[in-house]
Amino acid sequence: MEQINNILRDDNLYKAAIQALHGLQSNSNYLKLVTKDNSQANAVRNLPDTKKYLIRSGITLEKLDTLSVIHIAGTKGKGSTCAYTEAILREHGFKTGFFSSPHLVNARERIRISGQPISKTQFTQNFWKIYKKLEDTKEHESDMPTYFKFLTILMFNTFLDEHVDVAIIEVGIGGLYDCTNIIRNPVCVGITSLGLDHTSLLGNTVEDIAYQKSGIFKSGTVAFSVPQLSQAMRILEEQAIERNCKLRVIPSFDEYKWENLSPILQIKNKVQQQNASIAIQMATEWLLTRNKVASVSMDKIAIALTSCKWPGRMQVLRSSIGDFFLDGAHTIESIECCISWFNDISSGSKRKKVLIFNTSGTRDPIQLLIPLRSLHFYKAYFVPNLVGIKSLDNEMNSSSTDEQKIKCEINSKIWGMNSVVANNVLEVLEDIKRNLVQKNNCERYQILVTGSLHLIGAVLAILDPNLTMNTEF
């Protein structure tokens, strides 16, 4: 009986922690605030505020300097790049920490040790320890970090407590003013593909975006970049010189010489090959400069790349009602990559195609929807980032807001014929299943889910809540 009570108590503490975390201002609310103010004043406050709260949590900047960090920014591909980098270093036998955002199903995914999200128990204990310290040292009522800032501080505490060998840290938004940029001496940094996103905060040109991303360059550090548009590369080169940082453009994936094993057959998509190449460069830099190995094993790199799982990004999930193609593309460039990937992987099939779509923030849906029309979908569903199961929506802090529903109505009108507006994801999946049964159709659908990583999370919360890369739906 005591054991059951302890389990219930721990579960209640975890739920309370998630609720308290949601009580802190989220990134979406932060973006709205910055847009409303039309200034970078709030963004500029990020670094001094993060340092202040980190120190109050019990970690000095000198203590933070002892963490061995690989820091990664970019518009698209940075999550996949981080995942590849982490997998390579873990395959070489090192204890890894990995910080990413946003999460798909639960917040614990953002903080991983040796490839696994931290447990509910560890999250709960660390959360309340830090939350109490910050509550006790408040100078005024609203003197608490925002959602992402709190998780950043929680991450630094966790990685230092766990004595990880290396921390792979993904930038949240931008780079220059991002909370994670209190890191002073990364081993190396990476810049993935750049494009226009979060323009209200980062600027309206590729040059502006490149300047913000290059903010993670540090003196004496090596920076790796994928090939960029000439105007973006010029800014990266200028900032590298100004910040005394060596900038290296990565080689093509085709240039690598493999030993006994090769990942080429598993990583066919050009975008993922680019992400894999920058991951190889950063992992190799860390391994050699830290004198961790005499030479890098290309076999271990091949194993890491082929076994790496990163849900929601160019992911295929086969279910009883159809094959789900999940990609959180939310910019013009990433939608084009998504379309190319979907075309390649589904070519030759005559099965009916279904679209499930939503957008987040202030992105222009027309720029994403018009290119998707080329895929000739049988039906398109427009739905808020809402699961439709209360316990999961509470965990994910989802809410069926009027604002989201209005956007779905607009998107449906843009799309035109054969479009459906739904209240939640469960409603969509049940409708697809019902149509399949009613028509006695043995040919399963090809279902593309895209437009928002938050939408991907809502779908996976039903199909694969533990992110096993399999589903019984």
Side-chain angles (χ1 to χ4, degrees), residues 236-306:
L236 295 182
E237 289 169 348
E238 288 174 1
Q239 288 306 303
I241 293 167
E242 188 172 314
R243 296 171 186 271
N244 188 32
C245 178
K246 293 178 185 174
L247 179 63
R248 297 178 189 166
V249 179
I250 61 162
S252 163
F253 195 67
D254 299 331
E255 293 179 37
Y256 291 97
K257 306 298 181 191
W258 304 101
E259 295 166 358
N260 304 304
L261 303 169
S262 169
I264 291 172
L265 291 176
Q266 279 79 13
I267 305 176
K268 297 177 183 178
N269 183 273
K270 291 294 182 187
V271 174
Q272 293 296 51
Q273 286 182 353
Q274 199 173 67
N275 296 338
S277 181
I278 190 170
I280 293 168
Q281 293 299 309
M282 292 188 295
T284 300
E285 177 71 16
W286 186 87
L287 287 165
L288 296 179
T289 59
R290 291 283 148 153
N291 299 313
K292 297 293 185 182
V293 292
S295 62
V296 177
S297 166
M298 292 307 289
D299 275 352
K300 286 182 178 178
I301 289 176
I303 291 167
L305 293 179
T306 54

Side-chain angles (χ1 to χ4, degrees), residues 353-358 369 377-384 408 411-412 415 418-425 427-436 445 447-450 455:
K353 298 182 179 75
V354 172
L355 175 67
I356 303 176
F357 182 90
N358 193 30
L369 288 172
F377 289 100
Y378 159 68
K379 186 180 281 189
Y381 291 92
F382 298 96
V383 60
C408 291
N411 292 343
S412 177
W415 189 263
N418 301 319
S419 67
V420 177
V421 176
N423 293 305
N424 56 64
V425 167
E427 191 178 289
V428 171
L429 300 185
E430 293 293 355
D431 189 56
I432 293 172
K433 183 186 278 189
R434 190 164 47 250
N435 288 340
L436 207 61
Y445 296 119
I447 305 159
L448 177 64
V449 188
T450 193
L455 173 63

Side-chain angles (χ1 to χ4, degrees), residues 41-269:
N42 290 290
V44 172
R45 287 295 316 159
N46 264 345
L47 294 180
D49 282 354
T50 306
K51 289 175 187 176
K52 174 182 76 174
Y53 294 125
L54 184 78
I55 291 165
R56 287 183 188 177
S57 78
I59 295 176
T60 63
L61 293 178
E62 289 71 28
K63 177 70 174 172
L64 185 63
D65 289 343
T66 65
L67 198 61
S68 185
V69 173
I70 296 174
H71 201 193
I72 298 152
T75 306
K76 64 177 188 284
K78 63 183 187 291
S80 301
T81 297
C82 287
Y84 281 141
T85 308
E86 186 277 331
I88 293 168
L89 294 174
R90 179 161 40 90
E91 188 63 33
H92 277 82
F94 297 99
K95 185 175 183 179
T96 60
F98 175 15
F99 182 60
S100 65
S101 61
H103 61 269
L104 294 173
V105 179
N106 69 72
R108 294 181 293 109
E109 294 165 36
R110 297 182 182 227
I111 303 172
R112 295 169 183 257
I113 303 294
S114 298
Q116 296 300 314
I118 58 174
S119 67
K120 282 186 176 183
T121 301
Q122 187 175 15
F123 180 91
T124 304
Q125 288 174 348
N126 288 359
F127 179 91
W128 288 118
K129 181 178 74 174
I130 293 164
Y131 194 91
K132 188 173 188 311
K133 282 182 179 179
L134 298 180
E135 274 271 295
D136 290 348
T137 52
K138 284 198 304 188
E139 292 177 0
H140 50 83
E141 187 54 38
S142 60
D143 189 17
M144 284 289 280
T146 54
Y147 185 101
F148 184 77
K149 204 168 288 166
F150 187 95
L151 286 173
T152 301
I153 292 159
L154 177 61
M155 171 269 295
F156 283 133
N157 275 268
T158 302
F159 289 172
L160 286 166
D161 287 346
E162 285 285 333
H163 303 288
V164 298
D165 295 313
V166 58
I168 298 94
I169 296 176
E170 178 188 356
V171 164
I173 296 171
L176 181 60
Y177 300 123
D178 188 69
C179 305
T180 62
N181 206 29
I182 60 172
I183 298 159
R184 302 193 292 192
N185 60 347
V187 175
C188 60
V189 303
I191 305 291
T192 64
S193 184
L194 297 179
L196 296 178
D197 197 20
H198 299 304
T199 51
S200 60
L201 180 60
L202 304 180
N204 293 310
T205 67
V206 172
E207 291 91 336
D208 291 337
I209 301 290
Y211 179 79
Q212 289 291 330
K213 306 292 183 184
S214 68
I216 67 170
F217 291 179
K218 301 295 190 304
S219 179
T221 295
V222 179
F224 295 95
S225 175
V226 305
Q228 307 283 0
L229 293 170
S230 58
Q231 57 267 44
M233 188 57 77
R234 178 175 55 81
I235 299 297
L236 295 182
E237 289 169 348
E238 288 174 1
Q239 288 306 303
I241 293 167
E242 188 172 314
R243 296 171 186 271
N244 188 32
C245 178
K246 293 178 185 174
L247 179 63
R248 297 178 189 166
V249 179
I250 61 162
S252 163
F253 195 67
D254 299 331
E255 293 179 37
Y256 291 97
K257 306 298 181 191
W258 304 101
E259 295 166 358
N260 304 304
L261 303 169
S262 169
I264 291 172
L265 291 176
Q266 279 79 13
I267 305 176
K268 297 177 183 178
N269 183 273

